[in-house]
Amino acid sequence: KLPSDDDIAWPVSDNDPLSEIGFDKPFLKPQKRGGGWENSYTTALRESMRTSKPVVMWFTNEGPTPSPICKTLNREVFGQSDFVTWAKKNVVRLKIDISGGSDDRGNVGNMATRKRKYVAKLKKKYSVLGFPTVIVLQPDGSVYDRYRGYKKGHKSSYWRELKNAALTIGHNQKIWRKKMAAKGYRTWKGRNDQVIFARLARYFEGEVTLIEPNGTKVQTKESRLSSADRKWLDAEKKKRGL
């Protein structure tokens, strides 16, 4: 079902200025491929929302006195090639290093201080009391499950829990997306392979404005979209005699 005319603004002049776009321009930069652990909370949640993949958020300590249990978890699970292959396809990985990361050790500058304060807020938000703590987030940002600690030699059971969580979340997301499709939401893909799930809010002279389910407004150019999306727009324009 296509969006109704009432849901899309097809302006005939420049008298209807765009409201402020609160997000960087999509489909512009080459999409990162084969990425590992993300270190930006905001970026990870945005990627999760757009791809419908859950976030595996790992709170760890890699400082001067690193957590030995975290090292074991990484050696037996997260660092294994079979897990890496599965994770690239099924989840968004986010690592929160409470030490601030190797680049910040010994750095007392303002940026390092801000990072540590931000990590402290995340710890409080998710009630992280020890390491490792792994939290699975759903694409809407809510907590699906959490795992505290790790027992040496328990790779199979630990990974099985993560797989089950990803499968359940994926199933629920498919149902949700079908409901949102009835409201005009669809998957948009850039020529750089970046994906956004949104509805068309405005089109004028090659400028496209999309609105994601969380209300984020995204502006891009028609030329940056995939050929399938450009054909969809052409069909919509013909439908309206534009």
Side-chain angles (χ1 to χ4, degrees):
K1 182 180 178 181
L2 294 175
S4 67
D5 291 352
D6 295 335
D7 293 332
I8 304 176
W10 297 85
V12 295
S13 72
D14 286 318
N15 296 327
D16 181 22
L18 286 171
S19 59
E20 183 178 354
I21 304 300
F23 177 59
D24 56 334
K25 294 181 180 179
F27 311 127
L28 185 59
K29 297 179 181 179
Q31 188 76 343
K32 292 191 301 181
R33 295 183 180 277
W37 289 90
E38 177 63 62
N39 56 21
S40 168
Y41 175 79
T42 303
T43 300
L45 263 63
R46 183 181 293 150
E47 180 69 12
S48 174
M49 178 188 68
R50 291 179 171 176
T51 62
S52 289
K53 297 178 181 179
V55 176
V56 174
M57 182 166 56
W58 176 23
F59 285 87
T60 183
N61 182 0
E62 298 181 349
T65 55
S67 164
I69 304 178
C70 286
K71 292 175 68 174
T72 300
L73 174 60
N74 186 60
R75 182 176 63 253
E76 295 190 358
V77 184
F78 294 153
Q80 292 293 312
S81 60
D82 53 353
F83 176 84
V84 172
T85 300
W86 173 83
K88 285 180 179 180
K89 183 179 179 180
N90 295 281
V91 300
V92 177
R93 287 168 289 170
L94 170 64
K95 181 163 65 174
I96 307 296
D97 181 6
I98 61 97
S99 69
S102 58
D103 293 338
D104 292 333
R105 292 170 196 167
N107 187 341
V108 294
N110 184 51
M111 182 58 71
T113 301
R114 287 169 58 189
K115 284 183 179 180
R116 284 193 289 269
K117 288 182 178 180
Y118 188 66
V119 170
K121 288 182 179 179
L122 287 178
K123 285 176 58 182
K124 182 177 181 180
K125 175 181 176 67
Y126 292 104
S127 303
V128 176
L129 303 177
F131 309 102
T133 294
V134 174
I135 299 174
V136 178
L137 300 178
Q138 301 189 84
D140 64 0
S142 61
V143 175
Y144 177 81
D145 207 348
R146 65 175 63 234
Y147 311 91
R148 293 187 175 94
Y150 175 74
K151 291 184 179 180
K152 185 177 180 180
H154 283 220
K155 170 188 173 179
S156 296
S157 59
Y158 195 91
W159 190 10
R160 184 169 58 250
E161 290 289 332
L162 292 178
K163 283 182 176 179
N164 288 338
L167 284 171
T168 301
I169 292 172
H171 173 73
N172 293 339
Q173 281 295 300
K174 287 180 181 179
I175 296 174
W176 174 78
R177 284 200 171 215
K178 286 183 179 180
K179 292 180 179 179
M180 296 301 287
K183 300 179 181 179
Y185 288 86
R186 62 188 296 274
T187 298
W188 300 78
K189 188 174 182 180
R191 298 175 70 177
N192 64 346
D193 292 334
Q194 184 179 2
V195 173
I196 288 180
F197 186 65
R199 67 176 177 85
L200 180 63
R202 185 180 189 270
Y203 176 91
F204 181 63
E205 294 185 348
E207 294 290 336
V208 180
T209 303
L210 308 174
I211 298 182
E212 296 181 283
N214 67 348
T216 298
K217 292 182 180 179
V218 177
Q219 181 183 11
T220 191
K221 295 182 180 297
E222 182 180 2
S223 60
R224 294 177 187 157
L225 297 172
S226 67
S227 59
D229 289 330
R230 296 198 300 274
K231 288 179 181 178
W232 186 89
L233 287 170
D234 286 342
E236 287 293 288
K237 285 185 282 186
K238 290 178 181 178
K239 176 182 174 182
R240 291 162 175 77
L242 299 175

